[in-house]
């Protein structure tokens, strides 16, 4: 108990879990299943936080022994089967790791042997005709070096120009897309939205003169007007210019919570609104694309958005608890490619963590200027 108290004070979760499991094992041995079960609950709660597969396996074993002591044989059997399954899975991982290490060592040893053979042959050739070989390879080496330098320089210049053209083309495409969205949004708001508003006024006037127009028709007309306004806002976030990025993200997350039932939270400093309008538009589009993917594909119940100021950079982090991103590169959609292009325009770096057991995590670092 003293060791457990000490581990709790130092927040050593893994060591504290093992201490709890040891205490459970002692209670099982002295036939105190109730005390053992109480301590096991604490160990299981810690395992949920740490995600340690070995400790989870031990929890199922202890749970099996407690159920066995309580003569609950069916649940004891289920727990033992789960323990056996996790133990086999853990052993397979260990075996695979050992096999991979052995394969790597074998390849290294094979390459070393091949290099040693080549070294021996080279020494024999050098002894047989050292001066002639030296002059010949010197000439060849100088020629190759010159050719490599020219080819390398040309290739670097060519790839740099290609990359610059690609970046410029991507930037132009995204700019054209934003302009087209702006145009369509303006047409929806000014033309269709105005026409619907006029129609609504006429309907209200007709309904005042006659009761023939149903309430359902009025509601449907109001719904169409609201949908048109929402589509216009999604196409071009004009509210960014009026209320800023922080309140725009707040409005976006509120709509997601109300329409999709996904729990949303965000943390964005007020100084983010000091950035340029283009930068805030790109950030909003990135966040919007991430939330769309979460709603459509992830089947998540919660998401979190945060932007932190770190020295000369801002760090945007997006997390949800859904299925995560596909590891098959051929299935990467246009949304993720669009995010990558916008990050390039921001001169930032993009990191997507695909080693998570569950969920999706995106980190973007960009200059705060």
């Amino acid at each position: 108990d003293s060791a457990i108290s000490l581990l709790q004070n130092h927040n050593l979760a893994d060591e504290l879990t093992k201490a709890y499991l040891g205490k459970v094992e002692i209670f099982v041995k002295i036939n105190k299943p109730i005390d053992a079960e109480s301590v096991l609950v604490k160990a299981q709660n810690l395992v949920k936080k740490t995600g340690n597969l070995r400790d989870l396996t031990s929890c199922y074993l202890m749970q099996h022994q407690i159920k066995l002591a309580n003569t609950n044989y069916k649940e004891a059997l289920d727990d033992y089967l789960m323990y056996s399954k996790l133990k086999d899975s853990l052993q397979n991982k260990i075996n695979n790791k050992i096999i991979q290490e052995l394969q790597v060592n074998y390849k290294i040893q094979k390459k070393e042997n091949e290099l040693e053979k080549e070294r021996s042959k080279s020494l024999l050739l050098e002894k047989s005709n050292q001066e002639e070989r030296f002059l010949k390879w010197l000439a060849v080496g100088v020629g190759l070096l010159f050719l490599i330098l020219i080819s390398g320089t040309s290739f670097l210049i060519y790839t740099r120009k290609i990359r610059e053209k690609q970046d410029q083309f991507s930037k132009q495409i995204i700019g054209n897309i934003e302009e087209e969205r702006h145009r369509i949004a303006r047409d929806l708001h000014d033309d269709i939205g105005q026409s619907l508003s006029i129609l609504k006024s006429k309907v209200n006037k007709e309904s005042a003169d006659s009761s023939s127009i149903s309430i359902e028709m009025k509601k449907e007309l109001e719904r169409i007007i609201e949908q048109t306004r929402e589509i216009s806002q999604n196409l071009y976030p004009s509210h960014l210019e009026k209320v800023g990025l922080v309140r725009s993200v707040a409005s976006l997350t509120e709509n997601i919570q109300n329409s999709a039932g996904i729990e949303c939270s965000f943390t964005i400093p007020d100084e983010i609104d000091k950035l340029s309008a283009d930068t805030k538009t790109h950030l909003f589009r990135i966040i919007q694309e991430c939330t769309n993917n979460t709603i459509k594909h992830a089947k998540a119940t919660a998401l979190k958005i945060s932007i932190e100021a770190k020295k000369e950079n801002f760090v945007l982090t997006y997390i949800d608890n859904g299925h995560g991103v596909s590891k098959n590169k051929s299935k990467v959609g246009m949304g993720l490619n669009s995010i990558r292009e916008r990050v390039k325009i921001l001169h930032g770096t993009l990191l997507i963590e695909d080693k998570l057991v569950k969920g999706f995590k995106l980190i973007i670092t960009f200059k705060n200027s």
Side-chain angles (χ1 to χ4, degrees):
D1 290 333
S2 298
I4 288 174
S5 178
L6 184 63
L7 292 171
Q8 285 175 336
N9 292 334
H10 288 81
N11 294 324
L12 299 174
D14 288 328
E15 291 76 4
L16 183 59
T17 303
K18 291 177 176 57
Y20 278 138
L21 290 172
K23 191 173 181 180
V24 172
E25 188 174 3
I26 292 173
F27 279 138
V28 171
K29 287 182 179 179
I30 63 176
N31 197 19
K32 289 186 175 181
I34 297 176
D35 294 334
E37 191 169 0
S38 176
V39 177
L40 181 60
V41 170
K42 297 178 180 179
Q44 289 172 333
N45 290 333
L46 281 173
V47 169
K48 290 179 180 179
K49 295 179 179 179
T50 61
N52 190 309
L53 185 59
R54 192 182 297 275
D55 289 341
L56 181 61
T57 304
S58 300
C59 284
Y60 276 107
L61 179 60
M62 293 295 102
Q63 192 166 296
H64 157 74
Q65 292 178 355
I66 293 171
K67 298 290 177 57
L68 204 61
N70 290 331
T71 68
N72 193 345
Y73 298 115
K74 184 179 182 304
E75 293 185 6
L77 176 60
D78 293 339
D79 290 333
Y80 187 80
L81 290 174
M82 183 58 72
Y83 158 74
S84 178
K85 181 179 179 181
L86 289 173
K87 183 179 178 183
D88 291 341
S89 175
L90 189 61
Q91 188 61 42
N92 287 334
K93 288 185 177 180
I94 294 173
N95 291 339
N96 290 335
K97 185 176 181 181
I98 293 172
I99 290 171
Q100 289 176 356
E101 289 177 354
L102 289 173
Q103 288 175 340
V104 170
N105 291 333
Y106 169 73
K107 290 179 180 179
I108 292 173
Q109 186 179 20
K110 185 178 179 181
K111 288 183 178 180
E112 288 178 349
N113 291 336
E114 291 176 354
L115 288 172
E116 188 62 33
K117 290 179 181 179
E118 292 295 329
R119 195 178 294 113
S120 299
K121 290 180 181 180
S122 178
L123 289 173
L124 289 174
L125 289 171
E126 187 176 0
K127 288 179 180 179
S128 64
N129 199 356
Q130 185 175 5
E131 184 176 353
E132 182 181 352
R133 189 180 65 85
F134 175 76
L135 293 173
K136 182 181 69 175
W137 287 110
L138 180 62
V140 173
V142 171
L144 285 175
L145 181 61
F146 183 71
L147 182 62
I148 289 170
L149 287 173
I150 294 176
S151 300
T153 304
S154 301
F155 179 74
L156 287 174
I157 295 172
Y158 174 75
T159 53
R160 187 180 301 165
K161 289 182 178 179
I162 291 295
R163 193 179 298 112
E164 289 175 356
K165 288 182 179 179
Q166 287 177 342
D167 292 343
Q168 185 179 2
F169 182 68
S170 299
K171 186 175 181 180
Q172 185 177 357
I173 287 178
I174 290 177
N176 291 341
I177 290 173
E178 290 297 335
E179 289 179 5
E180 188 64 16
R181 283 176 169 175
H182 190 187
R183 185 190 65 78
I184 296 173
R186 188 172 60 248
D187 290 345
L188 280 173
H189 181 270
D190 295 343
D191 296 339
I192 299 178
Q194 187 176 6
S195 299
L196 287 172
S197 297
I198 293 171
L199 180 60
K200 181 182 177 182
S201 299
K202 290 182 178 180
V203 168
N204 290 334
K205 184 178 180 181
E206 291 291 334
S207 62
D209 299 336
S210 173
S211 61
S212 60
I213 300 176
S214 65
I215 297 175
E216 288 77 9
M217 185 180 296
K218 293 181 184 178
K219 289 182 178 180
E220 184 65 20
L221 182 58
E222 290 176 356
R223 185 185 67 81
I224 294 172
I225 294 173
E226 184 62 30
Q227 282 185 340
T228 304
R229 185 180 296 112
E230 184 177 348
I231 292 171
S232 176
Q233 290 176 354
N234 288 335
L235 282 170
Y236 183 74
S238 58
H239 48 78
L240 272 174
E241 302 172 1
K242 300 175 183 177
V243 300
L245 181 63
V246 179
R247 293 178 63 183
S248 296
V249 173
S251 176
L252 176 65
T253 53
E254 183 180 357
N255 290 337
I256 293 171
Q257 285 191 156
N258 294 335
S259 61
I262 298 175
E263 188 68 27
C264 301
S265 62
F266 72 94
T267 305
I268 301 176
D270 292 334
E271 57 262 32
I272 201 73
D273 280 322
K274 295 179 182 178
L275 297 174
S276 66
D278 288 342
T279 299
K280 289 187 289 185
T281 299
H282 290 307
L283 292 175
F284 184 80
R285 288 299 187 199
I286 290 170
I287 294 171
Q288 194 178 43
E289 189 62 48
C290 290
T291 56
N292 286 340
N293 288 337
T294 297
I295 294 170
K296 293 178 181 178
H297 309 297
K299 296 184 178 179
T301 58
L303 64 85
K304 181 178 180 181
I305 304 163
S306 68
I307 299 179
E308 297 178 273
K310 292 186 177 180
K311 295 182 179 179
E312 297 181 354
N313 296 325
F314 280 118
V315 179
L316 165 64
T317 305
Y318 181 90
I319 305 173
D320 69 30
N321 63 347
H323 293 326
V325 69
S326 173
K327 295 182 180 180
N328 187 349
K329 293 184 178 179
S330 63
K331 293 185 179 180
V332 175
M334 291 182 63
L336 192 54
N337 288 329
S338 174
I339 291 174
R340 287 197 178 102
E341 294 303 326
R342 291 183 186 276
V343 172
K344 285 182 182 178
I345 295 173
L346 294 174
H347 302 290
T349 58
L350 171 65
L351 174 64
I352 297 175
E353 294 190 7
D354 57 358
K355 295 181 180 179
L356 301 175
V357 176
K358 184 179 180 181
F360 169 76
K361 185 174 183 180
L362 176 142
I363 302 172
I364 296 172
T365 304
F366 60 97
K367 295 289 184 181
N368 58 3
S369 58

